[in-house]
Amino acid sequence: MSAPNIEAVKEYLLSLQDAICDALEKVDGGGEFFEDEWQRDTGGGGRTRVLADGVIIEKGGVNFSHVFGDKLPGSATAHRPELAGRNFQAMGVSLVIHPRNPYIPTSHANVRFFIAEKEGEDPVWWFGGGFDLTPYYGNDEDCKFWHQTAKDACDPFGEEIYPHFKTWCDEYFHLKHRDEPRGIGGLFFDDLNEYGFDKSFALMQSIGNAYSKAYIPIIERNKEKAYGERQRDFQLHRRGRYVEFNLVYDRGTLFGLQSGGRTESILMSLPPEVRWGYDWKPEEGSEEAVLYDRYLKPTDWLNI
């Protein structure tokens, strides 16, 4: 089995951040990413890029981070107790895009690499990541295109990978306290090392590269759709669900906060405006209710 090449992973992740930012700036047509380079007192650092108040993107962040330390946080050792006592390195690109137009879905993507080492023992390493889509107004064409692009990224590595990662995504991005999905899913994977370093790294790259291929055409198809205050109000309430998931369940958020990460970069995924209403529900039979009735359910989008 080939040894992990940490520098190759870092080089790829930096180039991926550049490529995604370039693609998003181009489709936005006016906004530019502000870059904030930072250092972590206990080891490592990163570069946070944020596009705010763009033509299409109300707020978007594309982060690269590479952090390391002598002790893992509780969020990491809770389900992997064998990692206790090891030093670690964690690096990745993580992004969330919140468009202004409610007919353009919010999107999230993340690819990451983790390695924990201890003198005299083999390193423990894995890849993780994926991407998922959170529409406010469902669109079958968008859902099918998103999932077909996800499948195309996985198929060269095995036909079993897409259905496995899709199911994992449906199960992971689920708000247990509301018993509802965050969106229409996509791909999610973690602890990936069973293929060896080279194949696992190649699969992670294929998924990372597929994000822009999946999302940019969806922006283009929906950016001219007219909307009003009703659609905006629905979008802001649904964004509340996004915030709830990120603060309560998201592994990356918990790992970052518990490991002494940079709070501003970790919480850049939160939307700029959001609403909560007591016992808020969409009107029965409305266009907004269709999201719940049809789209917020695990669905085989490629065979509907």
Side-chain angles (χ1 to χ4, degrees):
M1 182 179 292
S2 54
N5 186 336
I6 297 172
E7 283 305 311
V9 177
K10 184 173 183 178
E11 182 179 343
Y12 166 72
L13 292 171
L14 288 167
S15 68
L16 178 67
Q17 184 190 34
D18 289 341
I20 291 174
C21 288
D22 289 346
L24 290 169
E25 283 184 350
K26 183 177 180 180
V27 75
D28 185 85
E32 294 183 358
F33 280 94
F34 162 78
E35 179 172 290
D36 183 14
E37 290 196 34
W38 51 274
Q39 297 294 318
R40 179 172 172 266
D41 292 340
T42 53
R47 56 187 197 188
T48 295
R49 291 180 179 170
V50 175
L51 192 162
D53 199 27
V55 177
I56 291 172
I57 298 171
E58 186 173 6
K59 182 187 175 189
V62 184
N63 281 353
F64 165 80
S65 63
H66 177 199
V67 301
F68 46 86
D70 296 328
K71 182 181 179 182
L72 284 156
S75 63
T77 57
H79 74 292
R80 297 290 293 266
E82 72 275 15
L83 299 179
R86 289 174 174 258
N87 59 49
F88 75 95
Q89 294 189 61
M91 64 180 74
V93 167
S94 180
L95 67 101
V96 176
I97 305 300
H98 294 289
R100 190 183 309 280
N101 189 321
Y103 289 103
I104 305 175
T106 283
S107 70
H108 159 261
N110 170 258
V111 285
R112 58 189 180 271
F113 175 70
F114 176 90
I115 185 167
E117 299 177 280
K118 188 175 183 179
E119 188 174 352
E121 298 186 16
D122 291 336
V124 177
W125 59 268
W126 64 78
F127 291 95
F131 51 73
D132 64 286
L133 196 69
T134 305
Y136 305 97
Y137 291 89
N139 178 306
D140 284 10
E141 181 184 10
D142 289 345
C143 296
K144 293 176 74 171
F145 178 78
W146 180 261
H147 278 273
Q148 185 62 59
T149 309
K151 184 176 186 296
D152 291 344
C154 296
D155 278 356
F157 302 89
E159 293 183 358
E160 76 285 356
I161 292 177
Y162 165 74
H164 176 47
F165 286 2
K166 178 196 179 297
T167 300
W168 202 341
C169 188
D170 288 339
E171 293 173 350
Y172 178 71
F173 290 106
H174 189 88
L175 284 80
K176 300 179 183 67
H177 61 286
R178 294 191 183 275
D179 192 26
E180 68 182 47
R182 187 168 84 172
I184 60 104
L187 303 172
F188 180 85
F189 66 100
D190 207 357
D191 303 328
L192 178 71
N193 58 18
E194 62 264 33
Y195 302 127
F197 177 80
D198 290 341
K199 184 177 178 180
S200 298
F201 183 25
L203 175 55
M204 183 269 267
Q205 291 178 79
S206 184
I207 291 171
N209 295 340
Y211 165 77
S212 294
K213 299 175 187 176
Y215 191 49
I216 299 300
I218 291 174
I219 294 177
E220 294 281 13
R221 279 198 292 269
N222 294 288
K223 66 182 183 180
E224 301 296 339
K225 290 183 178 178
Y227 65 93
E229 180 55 35
R230 174 175 177 150
Q231 288 79 21
R232 178 66 170 171
D233 181 71
F234 184 61
Q235 178 194 48
L236 296 184
H237 276 96
R238 287 299 308 168
R239 281 179 176 177
R241 304 291 204 258
Y242 205 94
V243 172
E244 289 174 23
F245 182 89
N246 277 27
L247 294 182
V248 176
Y249 301 113
D250 187 79
R251 288 184 191 176
T253 300
L254 297 176
F255 177 87
L257 295 175
Q258 292 181 10
S259 62
R262 187 169 183 269
T263 302
E264 283 300 309
S265 296
I266 296 164
L267 298 183
M268 67 86 197
S269 62
L270 302 183
E273 293 188 40
V274 63
R275 286 178 191 159
W276 279 274
Y278 180 75
D279 199 26
W280 173 86
K281 297 182 182 69
E283 181 182 344
E284 188 173 348
S286 66
E287 183 183 18
E288 291 74 25
V290 173
L291 180 75
Y292 291 82
D293 297 339
R294 175 163 173 72
Y295 293 93
L296 295 185
K297 299 176 181 179
T299 300
D300 180 3
W301 290 107
L302 300 183
N303 293 292
I304 56 172

